Amino acid sequence: MVFEDLSKMGIRSDSGISIYTTIDIGWYDLSRRIAKKHVEELKFKHDLTNASVVIIENKTGNIITLLGSVDYFDESIGGQNNMALALRQPGSAMKPLTYAAAFEKGIATPATAIEDRPKIYLTKKGDGFIPNNYDGRYRGIVLVREALASSYNLPAVEMLDRVGIESFLELSHRMGITTMRDEERYDLALTLGGGEVNLLELTNVYATFAREGTWIPYRLITKIEKDNGEEIFMPENPIPKRVLDEKVSFLITDILSDKKARIPTYGEKNTLVLRKPAAVKTGTTTDWHDNWTVGYTPIFTVGVWVGNSDNHPMKDISGVTGAGVIWSQIFEEILKFEGSTDFKKPEAIVDVEICTWDGLLPSNACNERTREIFIEGSEPKTVTTLTQKPSYFEDSPIQIISPKQNGMYEVGAEDEETLVFELSPKKDFLSIEWILDDKDLSVDECGGYLSNCHWTPTLGKHKLDVVIETNELGKVTLSSVNFTIVEYRKGW
């Protein structure tokens, strides 16, 4: 990256020059050791070979660490490719921009109720796009705080549909993303990482949230001198630029640092919980090519990418178990030596009690309440009319959520692998009959489970049918799911 900057400035290095950078060699070496150790621990199980790390000092934009690969000299992993600058799909790490655009436009607040259930969206090609959640489950009506913190896909797509792709891209570019310029290329999958970005720019986007909505260009070179001491380059001090209202930025920060709101997806104890408050978001592509974790305190922002330089897919690894572990270990060291401060709450942020059923003011009947923050003037003004927590799935059709229709699953990388057959929504089933390739599976063939089936995979194409029985429906045969089991081969 330094040599690229020299080329842009027209400065030749063959005449003897000294280049001073913002890189802290101590933090660089520590980041490399942590990333390399984690990659070594996971590479055989998950078929991953590389990782990249960026650390930015928020107040200056200085790049403290720019780790492009865990081993520059290892050609087998493409070690000389700077993966901090490589364009990759960021997965759910783009969701905060969707909600920031919604807050900015006044379309939503952290308490806005939004549906987390299947819905068909039309693409620009006229095809039907049906997003799914990472875990295959649907939760009915949720509030925006939980939807973002727990990274639900369907609410994010619905919110982008309301915000508009143009507004999403405009905010992304305002906050420092230089890619995704051809609006006509993109559909609602953008919020799920359907565009391509690089780790350095994405890390600085999150640093902008940390700076309360102020953008500063990241900086690597501090000065360049000739061998005789003559100064030939000294960068100007970066000029901060307000690109997002500080109140909107604080709402995003408050949600991304909310440990309770992310419990439904990540659990109470997970690698994203640090000793000090930190705002953080993960990203995982659906085909396992990339996973990310980017997060910040008021002082530093750390971004981590994990994957393979040649873009071949990893195997069954998420942004939490992949990039998240590296991010957590690096940030814990930062907090140990550099400390942290609390996020600053701007004026005109108000705290209001709401009913968690729909995000409105609670009535006497509402027995599930919480306190939520709002930009002053956007807080709810009406009282909920609900008299009990609604059951949004009473009329939803029961369906097979695992395996996926026409899904392809690899087996053979581990011993005793199973594929879980699962239904949603959960009901009080009187009976469940699992029928694979027109043959009833026994309880033993399902691994001893009744409500779901833990089946030992066999190679080939398969068809799964399920007959369920409930008090309300009687006996019902669900729609068949076809899927394929293939042998695992490293490098696919």
Side-chain angles (χ1 to χ4, degrees):
M1 184 174 171
V2 170
F3 291 113
E4 291 175 0
D5 288 346
L6 289 180
S7 178
K8 292 177 183 177
M9 290 185 284
I11 297 175
R12 297 176 60 89
S13 59
D14 54 3
S15 59
I17 59 174
S18 297
I19 304 170
Y20 298 84
T21 75
T22 59
I23 298 296
D24 184 308
I25 193 62
W27 286 118
Y28 177 89
D29 283 342
L30 179 65
S31 299
R32 184 182 58 80
R33 290 198 302 270
I34 290 173
K36 187 175 179 64
K37 181 176 183 294
H38 189 56
V39 168
E40 289 292 326
E41 290 172 349
L42 299 182
K43 66 179 181 180
F44 294 113
K45 181 177 180 180
H46 298 287
D47 191 14
L48 69 92
T49 59
N50 213 346
S52 179
V53 178
V54 171
I55 303 176
I56 292 177
E57 183 182 46
N58 296 331
K59 68 178 180 180
T60 62
N62 286 349
I63 301 172
I64 306 301
T65 290
L66 184 70
L67 178 71
S69 125
V70 294
D71 190 342
Y72 179 85
F73 299 101
D74 189 344
E75 293 183 3
S76 69
I77 67 168
Q80 294 186 17
N81 294 325
N82 189 343
M83 299 309 296
L85 302 180
L87 294 180
R88 293 297 183 96
Q89 292 193 341
S92 295
M94 294 301 286
K95 286 175 183 171
L97 286 163
T98 300
Y99 288 98
F103 295 162
E104 185 178 53
K105 292 170 70 73
I107 292 173
T109 73
T112 296
I114 193 165
E115 286 190 323
D116 178 29
R117 63 190 306 170
K119 181 177 178 180
I120 300 175
Y121 297 88
L122 286 179
T123 67
K124 290 178 179 177
K125 295 180 180 179
D127 302 325
F129 168 50
I130 308 176
N132 294 299
N133 282 327
Y134 179 79
D135 59 5
R137 294 179 172 85
Y138 309 114
R139 296 162 179 84
I141 298 296
V142 296
L143 303 187
V144 159
R145 175 175 291 273
E146 180 183 325
L148 174 54
S150 285
S151 197
Y152 300 153
N153 287 346
L154 284 86
V157 173
E158 173 64 24
M159 190 59 71
L160 180 56
D161 191 42
R162 300 180 189 182
V163 167
I165 292 173
E166 181 181 359
S167 295
F168 171 88
L169 290 175
E170 192 274 332
L171 177 60
S172 300
H173 298 150
R174 220 191 309 156
M175 294 185 71
I177 298 295
T178 60
T179 53
M180 303 190 300
R181 290 291 174 178
D182 185 2
E183 182 186 338
E184 294 305 313
R185 284 185 52 200
Y186 302 110
D187 277 301
L188 297 175
L190 264 178
T191 189
L192 308 181
E196 292 184 327
V197 301
N198 69 53
L199 179 64
L200 179 56
E201 289 186 351
L202 185 63
T203 303
N204 203 34
V205 166
Y206 279 72
T208 301
F209 285 127
R211 301 184 199 105
E212 303 167 15
T214 299
W215 178 82
I216 297 175
Y218 51 76
R219 181 171 63 173
L220 182 60
I221 298 176
T222 57
K223 68 176 178 178
I224 303 174
E225 294 178 346
K226 291 184 178 180
D227 284 351
N228 61 10
E230 179 187 349
E231 185 179 284
I232 57 177
F233 174 75
M234 174 68 74
E236 297 179 358
N237 289 328
I239 301 175
K241 181 180 179 181
R242 169 69 62 188
V243 295
L244 187 67
D245 187 280
E246 63 177 353
K247 298 182 288 297
V248 171
S249 188
F250 180 77
L251 294 182
I252 296 296
T253 295
D254 192 69
I255 292 172
L256 294 183
S257 59
D258 189 336
K259 295 180 288 187
K260 182 179 179 182
R262 70 169 83 108
I263 286 176
T265 292
Y266 301 101
E268 186 171 358
K269 294 182 179 180
N270 57 75
T271 58
L272 305 181
V273 178
L274 304 181
R275 69 180 72 189
K276 296 283 187 178
V280 58
K281 186 72 190 72
T282 64
T284 306
T285 55
T286 55
D287 50 11
W288 311 110
H289 284 285
D290 309 273
N291 65 61
W292 314 63
T293 298
V294 189
Y296 55 92
T297 63
I299 301 176
F300 291 100
T301 299
V302 177
V304 179
W305 167 88
V306 165
N308 296 298
S309 300
D310 64 4
N311 204 32
H312 81 262
M314 297 172 286
K315 184 176 184 294
D316 192 26
I317 185 169
S318 72
V320 175
T321 56
V325 176
I326 298 172
W327 178 88
S328 176
Q329 291 180 3
I330 291 173
F331 231 132
E332 286 290 4
E333 292 299 318
I334 289 174
L335 294 175
K336 186 186 302 182
F337 290 99
E338 304 291 345
S340 181
T341 59
D342 293 332
F343 293 112
K344 180 182 176 182
K345 182 179 179 179
E347 295 182 5
I349 293 289
V350 297
D351 182 294
V352 176
E353 186 180 49
I354 61 168
C355 179
T356 59
W357 295 342
D358 56 9
L360 299 179
L361 297 175
S363 65
N364 292 333
C366 179
N367 59 4
E368 294 184 33
R369 308 179 181 198
T370 190
R371 300 203 70 83
E372 185 55 270
I373 59 172
F374 301 86
I375 298 174
E376 190 172 19
S378 69
E379 65 271 22
K381 306 296 193 301
T382 59
V383 175
T384 180
T385 59
L386 298 176
T387 57
Q388 61 181 7
K389 185 176 182 178
S391 298
Y392 289 99
F393 283 139
E394 287 182 352
D395 300 324
S396 297
I398 300 170
Q399 59 185 322
I400 302 169
I401 61 170
S402 177
K404 302 292 186 185
Q405 184 67 264
N406 299 320
M408 183 175 290
Y409 300 85
E410 294 177 325
V411 296
E414 305 173 16
D415 296 330
E416 300 180 358
E417 288 182 295
T418 61
L419 177 61
V420 179
F421 300 158
E422 191 172 3
L423 307 178
S424 181
K426 303 298 183 185
K427 295 278 187 178
D428 292 328
F429 297 112
L430 299 177
S431 65
I432 302 178
E433 300 172 42
W434 303 98
I435 306 167
L436 186 67
D437 302 327
D438 299 320
K439 176 184 175 295
D440 287 358
L441 294 177
S442 66
V443 173
D444 287 342
E445 289 174 305
C446 285
Y449 293 86
L450 296 175
S451 60
N452 50 30
C453 178
H454 293 232
W455 172 66
T456 301
T458 58
L459 300 179
K461 294 183 177 181
H462 300 281
K463 178 172 71 82
L464 178 65
D465 293 286
V466 181
V467 178
I468 56 100
E469 183 179 7
T470 69
N471 283 321
E472 299 84 4
L473 301 175
K475 276 204 169 186
V476 176
T477 301
L478 305 183
S479 298
S480 300
V481 167
N482 297 285
F483 64 100
T484 304
I485 302 295
V486 297
E487 186 175 2
Y488 170 75
R489 293 182 185 177
K490 186 176 180 180
W492 278 22

